[in-house]
Amino acid sequence: INSAAKNYDLNTGAILSDVNYGNSGALTNQFGGQGGIQYQFTPKIMGYATISRGFKPGGFNANTLSNAIQLRAFKPEWLLSYEAGLKTMLFGDRLRLNAAAFYYDYHDKQEFGTQFVGAPFGILGGYVTAPRSHIYGVEADMEAHPFRGLTLTQNFGFERGFYDEYMAPNRNAIIAKYAVTGIYYPIYTNYAGYSIPMPTLTLSGAAVYKLPIGSKYNLTFDIDYNYRGSQTQALYIGQGGIYRAPAYALFNGFVTFSAPKQHWSVSVYSQNLADRKYWTGFGTQANFYGVVPGAPRFVGGKISLVY
């Protein structure tokens, strides 16, 4: 039992050790805001540029504490965001096309990493801060109405991220050294230039067609998809390259028969039509690695009544 920063034996009540947790705080004296400009090139084309500053509060780890070092506060995270783009309506408002480029300049980015605590634990997990890092990318979205009843949408995203400044315990090197010497040595590595795990490319889109049946009914068909590019999975900063989450594309769809004036509809739908096997997350414990699988194909139906 831990009480008043001491460990007690459950049976005798004797003090086993003084872990000296002490006091800890993480002040967040920060501010946020945004400034920007926009210009209407034509009645249907607008350009803009913005600069924003945002932040997340600091904090401290309070989960499965084994060493006082784990309770050290981590700093607030803040960033400067730069974005510029265009918003358009073209071809008689049949095509909406928006595009933007962005750059995020992170300071003290909060990450789940490792802390060197020495014997008997060596290294323990916890939230830490990477002093400098950045993410950049482009994104675009489109909505088109080629003819009455048909709507096409498409979204595109590309991004990359890198650490610019970060000295941290090298988990793999510390474990390897301990295996040889039986002593935990503090081995640190500069992870400047290492990529931040994230999918580089993401896509999504849909085609929806509404077919009137007489004057009272509609039949609506939908097919949509989303694609997520591959990404290196790592629980700790600098642990990249253990394995790579493969890219995957999922397809969904539905058919709806409705009577708008009578306020009812009947739908049949399916998620993951191709029954694609994929995974969305991962976990690790010691030398064991596991993944979280995504949902398999699901087919269902629903009846809706609105009053």
Side-chain angles (χ1 to χ4, degrees), residues 49 55 95 111 143 184 189 194 260-261 284 298:
F55 65 91
L95 176 64
E111 303 275 3
E143 181 178 319
Y184 286 112
T189 296
Y194 277 61
K261 294 181 180 180
T284 180
F298 181 84

Side-chain angles (χ1 to χ4, degrees), residues 130-154:
R132 294 294 299 272
S133 59
H134 70 273
I135 296 174
Y136 65 88
V138 293
E139 57 187 11
D141 65 86
M142 176 273 293
E143 181 178 319
H145 303 270
F147 52 84
R148 185 175 182 179
L150 178 63
T151 301
L152 303 175
T153 59
Q154 177 63 51

Side-chain angles (χ1 to χ4, degrees), residues 48 50 79-85 99-106 134-140 156-161 198-200 202:
Y48 70 93
T50 62
L79 70 88
L80 287 174
S81 168
Y82 306 88
E83 181 177 337
F102 62 89
Y103 183 92
Y104 295 156
D105 180 15
Y106 282 94
H134 70 273
I135 296 174
Y136 65 88
V138 293
E139 57 187 11
F156 165 86
F158 173 88
E159 63 180 357
R160 295 295 306 277
M198 65 178 63
T200 301
T202 56

Side-chain angles (χ1 to χ4, degrees), residues 1-25:
I1 295 176
N2 179 267
S3 176
K6 299 180 184 297
N7 287 328
Y8 292 87
D9 186 282
L10 286 173
N11 297 317
T12 66
I15 298 176
L16 299 177
S17 63
D18 187 341
V19 295
N20 190 30
Y21 282 142
N23 297 320
S24 179

Side-chain angles (χ1 to χ4, degrees), residues 2-294:
N2 179 267
S3 176
K6 299 180 184 297
N7 287 328
Y8 292 87
D9 186 282
L10 286 173
N11 297 317
T12 66
I15 298 176
L16 299 177
S17 63
D18 187 341
V19 295
N20 190 30
Y21 282 142
N23 297 320
S24 179
L27 296 179
T28 305
N29 298 323
Q30 298 284 330
F31 69 91
Q34 182 183 76
I37 59 173
Q38 70 178 52
Y39 184 76
Q40 200 76 33
F41 295 100
T42 73
K44 300 293 185 179
I45 301 177
M46 184 270 285
Y48 70 93
T50 62
I51 301 176
S52 307
R53 190 186 193 279
F55 65 91
K56 290 200 304 186
F60 58 91
N61 300 280
N63 182 30
T64 317
L65 293 175
S66 301
N67 189 286
I69 293 176
Q70 288 181 285
L71 204 58
R72 290 175 180 171
F74 51 84
K75 298 178 182 179
E77 170 189 308
W78 65 275
L79 70 88
L80 287 174
S81 168
Y82 306 88
E83 181 177 337
L86 291 172
K87 295 182 180 292
T88 69
M89 292 294 292
L90 307 172
F91 304 108
D93 294 345
R94 290 181 177 271
L95 176 64
R96 175 178 57 80
L97 182 62
N98 301 327
F102 62 89
Y103 183 92
Y104 295 156
D105 180 15
Y106 282 94
H107 298 252
D108 296 318
K109 191 174 189 297
Q110 296 168 5
E111 303 275 3
F112 191 82
T114 52
Q115 299 167 304
F116 182 81
V117 299
F121 304 104
I123 48 177
L124 295 172
Y127 282 96
V128 296
T129 54
R132 294 294 299 272
S133 59
H134 70 273
I135 296 174
Y136 65 88
V138 293
E139 57 187 11
D141 65 86
M142 176 273 293
E143 181 178 319
H145 303 270
F147 52 84
R148 185 175 182 179
L150 178 63
T151 301
L152 303 175
T153 59
Q154 177 63 51
N155 297 288
F156 165 86
F158 173 88
E159 63 180 357
R160 295 295 306 277
F162 297 91
Y163 298 107
D164 301 313
E165 179 186 342
Y166 187 68
M167 290 290 294
N170 188 320
R171 183 175 186 269
N172 295 336
I174 292 172
I175 292 175
K177 186 74 172 180
Y178 177 80
V180 175
T181 65
I183 300 174
Y184 286 112
Y185 287 94
I187 303 174
Y188 287 79
T189 296
N190 183 2
Y191 291 111
Y194 277 61
S195 62
I196 300 174
M198 65 178 63
T200 301
L201 179 64
T202 56
L203 301 168
S204 65
V208 181
Y209 181 64
K210 181 180 290 187
L211 175 66
I213 300 178
S215 60
K216 296 183 179 180
Y217 306 103
N218 290 322
L219 190 59
T220 304
F221 302 90
D222 169 275
I223 182 72
D224 60 78
Y225 84 99
N226 62 80
Y227 171 86
R228 183 181 177 92
S230 64
Q231 72 177 83
T232 300
Q233 295 292 304
L235 182 59
Y236 305 103
I237 293 175
Q239 200 184 10
I242 297 176
Y243 50 84
R244 180 172 289 274
Y248 64 86
L250 302 180
F251 295 89
N252 313 291
F254 68 80
V255 178
T256 297
F257 184 75
S258 62
K261 294 181 180 180
Q262 300 175 26
H263 309 291
W264 63 264
S265 65
V266 178
S267 299
V268 177
Y269 62 92
S270 177
Q271 298 174 340
N272 192 5
L273 274 167
D275 199 21
R276 177 68 187 270
K277 292 179 172 59
Y278 65 102
W279 46 277
T280 59
F282 73 103
T284 180
Q285 182 65 38
N287 60 352
F288 171 80
Y289 298 93
V291 299
V292 180

